[in-house]
Amino acid sequence: MCGICGIIGETEGKEQVLSRMMKALKHRGPDGRDSYITRDAMLGFQRLGIIDLETGMQPIQNEDKSKALVFNGEIYNYRILRDMLRQKGHRFKTDSDSEVILHGYEEYGKVFLDKLRGMFSFVIWDDKEKTLFAARDYFGIKPFYYTVAGDTLVFASEIKSILEYPGYHREMNEEALEQYLSFQYSVLPETFFKGIYQLLPGHYLTYTLSGELRTTRYFEPFLKPGKGLGEESLLEDVKNVIGQSVKRHLISDVEVGSFLSGGVDSSMVAAASGCGRTFTVGFENEGALYDETVYAGELAGMLGTDHHCRYITKEEFREAVPKVMYHLDEPLGDASAVALYFLAQEASKEVKVVLSGEGADEIFGGYNIYLEPKALKLLGWLPAGARRCLASLAEYLPRHMKGRNYLIRASQSLRERYIGNAYIFRTGERREILKRPGSAGKPADFLEGAYERAAPLEDSDQMQYIDLKYWLPGDILQKADKMSMAHSLELRVPFLDRDVFQIARAIPHEMKTRRCTTKYLLRRAADAYLPEKVARRKKLGFPIPIRNWMKEQDWYREIEEAFTGKAAAEYFHTEKLVRLLKEHRDGKEDNSRKIWTVYAFLVWHKVYFGNSEGI
């Protein structure tokens, strides 16, 4: 695991620029640094030593030094691939997975990507052909950003590194803001910084010195539910492939620990791995526990792990928000990122690598919202016009009245009501609060192509596909990578293994949600590792008491100052932001998610576009 960066183009006199870019990534790799410099290319590397501690430094070159590589991630089947490449005549000077990628690309070209099992973003510079090849892993576990400044390509693991390049001029992308207000994360290929792009998951990039840049998709996490598959046979496949993946993810020359929330996903990983140390965090809300720490502690006792639990105070949480936004690079309206920041901080005191349960919900159908299509079918017998009439009447009911939201959602198509696990501001709402609503279309318009692709699937499978394609890399994996690497901690996700996905994608709809149970087949597989009460526990998520904290005078005033500050006035109708805040304080509406989404953006804006007059 590490941080990578580089400059492709005229490099004369830019050694100090590369050094600053590398320094901006030091938290990703504090164990060492090195660089590769030629007339046409500069590659920078900050190392977090996990595998081959003695000889695994990068950049690494092939035998004739015609190619050089920098790589961020881990390849878990690298030993098998290395043996295969040795049989074809390749000579290795290290025991690292990075050298396997370089030789594999030499032998097979871009099709070598299909042989990799792991998480990665990497760059290979061909000094003879004067071309660059870069790739990002299948699900977007590891990040990769790039920009073209003049006739120069600049890339890095994090945006903050690219910002050190003097040829790039920092400018806010207001279209990204508009979509963010609905999705709660940066959903566009172009980031919040105009001209800086993310390489999408499952894509590779090629670039030549003549300025030709192309991105190509090589993998898509599309579902293909099987027909006539036996439940018991599939169950054995799921158990076997998860066990193999967890074992593969334990490959390391340093100790590996495990996050443990108390839910089925992380509990299954912790139990299957046999890791000796487990970690969790929680909150105290008016003296009461507001999390799953009790469950995590009980399971840690059963597993016999050295369990570490930290409770976060409101003051610690508030003070950490600017640091979190700095490390995220882009605003994220998911408050659990702050909790994950503290969890990674706690784990980093003991280990350099942790396993985590991210991806299980998206791969196996675990979100409670996936049960909604079944519930809405209770009104499905009514003609669409009748359902729309009921929804119109429901709009006049008190917002807290039970059943009001059900009637409204039952009148909407799936594409209208579902854009992912978050739908913060509707199109009309965001246009109402923004001073300059732009050309960004409705979220449904943005997702139209994905929904067309998924049209043959059941409604809940379509929802799952949308989450795999957007929510997983944009929210879940964004915060997982950035919050762990903020503390020089490598986070591994065994559920997001390509072999696991090949089994999971074939699971029929009825084996993912059954009655009121989500990820049904995974829960059955978990019985091999966990007590039944843990395997069947309903998903809780990562609850954070911000809805209560926002009503308390100190934080209320802080947010109010942000909502009436200079940055807020530049982008928003501030009086409408304050109205959201007052309604929440007075108990008229639960506006906590809307408030947090805007507040997170304003804190991020101060960090990266700061002004002396506050947020």
Side-chain angles (χ1 to χ4, degrees), residues 173-341:
N173 179 9
E174 292 194 40
E175 184 181 358
L177 170 61
E178 197 164 355
Q179 293 289 21
Y180 160 81
L181 291 173
S182 292
F183 287 90
Q184 92 170 11
Y185 58 89
S186 180
V187 72
L188 303 175
E190 187 177 22
T191 69
F192 266 77
F193 296 88
K194 268 195 171 181
I196 297 180
Y197 296 83
Q198 60 165 320
L199 181 60
L200 297 176
H203 281 66
Y204 65 80
L205 175 152
T206 58
Y207 182 79
T208 67
L209 283 184
S210 63
E212 183 180 0
L213 187 153
R214 292 183 180 178
T215 63
T216 304
R217 189 184 74 200
Y218 70 90
F219 175 85
E220 183 183 29
F222 194 72
L223 303 174
K224 289 189 176 180
K227 295 181 180 180
L229 299 176
E231 182 174 322
E232 297 306 315
S233 175
L234 265 178
L235 176 62
E236 288 305 309
D237 288 343
V238 168
K239 287 194 290 189
N240 289 337
V241 77
I242 289 175
Q244 291 166 8
S245 180
V246 171
K247 183 178 180 181
R248 186 181 294 157
H249 281 68
L250 289 170
I251 294 173
S252 173
D253 291 332
V254 297
E255 183 181 359
V256 179
S258 185
F259 287 165
L260 182 60
S261 70
V264 63
D265 305 335
S266 65
S267 297
M268 188 176 182
V269 169
S273 69
C275 290
R277 299 178 195 263
T278 52
F279 306 90
T280 191
V281 294
F283 304 87
E284 289 191 6
N285 186 38
E286 297 180 352
L289 296 181
Y290 200 87
D291 45 54
E292 292 181 307
T293 54
V294 173
Y295 299 142
E298 289 176 354
L299 183 60
M302 296 178 194
L303 298 176
T305 67
D306 177 13
H307 188 58
H308 301 255
C309 181
R310 176 178 175 178
Y311 290 98
I312 306 164
T313 67
K314 181 181 70 173
E315 290 70 26
E316 286 178 317
F317 190 96
R318 284 172 55 193
E319 290 174 4
V321 175
K323 298 175 187 175
V324 167
M325 293 303 150
Y326 169 77
H327 282 288
L328 283 169
D329 279 339
E330 300 185 83
L332 179 64
D334 186 342
S336 68
V338 185
L340 189 52
Y341 176 87

